[in-house]
Amino acid sequence: MTASPSDPRIVVLAGGVGGSKFVLGVRDAARRRWPDADGGTRADITVIANTGDDLWLSGIRLQPDVDSMIYALAGVNDAARGWGRAGESERVAAELHAWGSGWPWFTLGDLDLGAHIARTGWLHDGLSVTQVVARLASRWPLGVRVLPMTDAEVDTHVETEQGRMHFQEWWTRHRASLPARGFDSPGIAHAAPAPGVLEALAAADMILFAPSNPVVSLGPILAVPGIADAVRAAGGAVVGVSPIIAGAPVRGMADACLAAVGIEATAAAVGWHYGARDAGGLLDAWLIAEEDAALAPEVEAAGVRALVRPLWMRDLETSAVLADAAFDAAS
């Protein structure tokens, strides 16, 4: 399976801050490798974004991963916090908390709330999630098409010793400190891929799995009926990037999520979790960190080609180098 040498079609499955940083690298690396006359790229890049951590709060609809992706591509994200808009104020959130509305430990910036209110209004007007995401993304020249994984509401919940709670409560309030017994996205078994998702996968010259949380970021995307099968059937190569380096997550608490579903927090174990396409899995190649070079034979034993590369995304340059390595792996 080879990537098209000209005007390639690239699809990235992504969620979370790590996914956004990787997509920035993909866009930058594509501009260098396949430049156009306007400073952009001839490559057609589509991101299929996780919507499993979406939620309703104080009557408005939030889509944290979608918004983080759009803000990062637009260059208006708060890179220090890793979420929300740069230059935020929080007057509205303080007023909501004073009224006892929402979650006191879940603060939204005023600029971010503007996006949530606009989204909620459009949804009430009858627009689909796909149409709303397209409208939000149209504000800035992103150079990337962002698609939600589905138009259905499939919010992720967590089963813990203290009961069932929304993923955002477990993740943000408790910092994944409560042992999770499992994750559930009600309705996902009956959801359909968002318009354009299956078509993008079928036409892709390469499909990239960002170094996102395998359980709660990429897991929901792949759980939407039809998406995993489309990845398996795709003509382009499927390359994943490990979110685990030296036995620890690159960012966040992915190790807590992996433990809940019985997967060891190692690059090899996550590679085995995705599996080889030749054996009914999803991957052709798996990029692992230099720190995990000794695990390459274990990855290869799963039937997946293991490639040892620098994985730390410290800035745009290192993210672009990583994306370029993924391009090479798909060639």
Side-chain angles (χ1 to χ4, degrees):
M1 301 174 185
T2 59
S4 173
S6 177
D7 302 344
R9 292 159 295 192
I10 304 167
V11 175
V12 187
L13 275 60
V17 176
S20 298
K21 292 177 71 173
F22 181 69
V23 170
L24 287 176
V26 167
R27 184 181 64 178
D28 196 63
R31 286 171 173 171
R32 303 179 192 186
R33 188 177 285 216
W34 302 287
D36 64 15
D38 300 317
T41 178
R42 301 191 315 274
D44 182 293
I45 305 171
T46 298
V47 176
I48 300 173
N50 172 46
T51 59
D53 60 353
D54 295 3
L55 69 155
W56 288 98
L57 188 67
S58 297
I60 59 175
R61 188 64 173 164
L62 280 56
Q63 293 191 291
D65 280 6
V66 167
D67 291 347
S68 292
M69 183 66 65
I70 291 174
Y71 296 160
L73 288 166
V76 300
N77 61 310
D78 187 330
R81 289 194 302 182
W83 54 271
R85 294 278 295 275
E88 273 286 17
S89 55
E90 297 176 350
R91 293 189 65 189
V92 176
E95 188 67 7
L96 286 171
H97 295 164
W99 285 111
S101 178
W103 290 329
W105 41 264
F106 196 87
T107 299
L108 298 171
D110 297 336
L111 296 174
D112 205 19
L113 276 163
H116 302 325
I117 293 168
R119 170 188 295 112
T120 304
W122 291 330
L123 289 172
H124 284 315
D125 288 343
L127 270 66
S128 69
V129 173
T130 299
Q131 291 169 326
V132 168
V133 171
R135 186 171 288 189
L136 289 168
S138 69
R139 179 173 174 180
W140 298 281
L142 305 184
V144 170
R145 179 174 59 154
V146 179
L147 294 176
M149 65 189 198
T150 181
D151 282 342
E153 289 187 14
V154 290
D155 303 6
T156 300
H157 292 79
V158 187
E159 294 288 348
T160 76
E161 295 176 352
Q162 295 187 13
R164 181 181 175 87
M165 62 187 68
H166 192 280
F167 168 74
Q168 288 294 345
E169 181 175 3
W170 181 75
W171 188 258
T172 306
R173 181 184 185 183
H174 297 287
R175 303 299 297 168
S177 62
L178 297 177
R181 296 173 174 171
F183 302 89
D184 178 38
S185 299
I188 201 165
H190 304 290
V197 166
L198 297 184
E199 293 81 358
L201 291 168
D205 294 302
M206 64 181 80
I207 299 170
L208 308 179
F209 285 16
S212 301
N213 190 310
V215 181
V216 295
S217 291
L218 297 195
I221 299 175
L222 295 166
V224 176
I227 291 184
D229 286 342
V231 171
R232 294 186 185 98
V238 183
V239 177
V241 180
S242 174
I244 304 294
I245 297 178
V250 173
R251 186 182 177 94
M253 294 79 71
D255 49 347
C257 300
L258 290 166
V261 297
I263 301 172
E264 189 179 0
T266 70
V270 177
W272 272 84
H273 166 67
Y274 288 129
R277 279 213 290 173
D278 289 346
L282 297 165
L283 296 176
D284 297 313
W286 184 234
L287 272 59
I288 63 175
E290 295 165 310
E291 296 89 335
D292 292 318
L295 297 177
E298 189 177 341
V299 175
E300 299 272 357
V304 179
R305 187 160 47 102
L307 300 170
V308 179
R309 298 291 186 272
L311 296 194
W312 288 109
M313 297 184 292
R314 296 183 174 88
D315 49 29
L316 181 58
E317 178 61 27
T318 51
S319 296
V321 169
L322 174 56
D324 207 51
F327 296 164
D328 285 338
S331 298

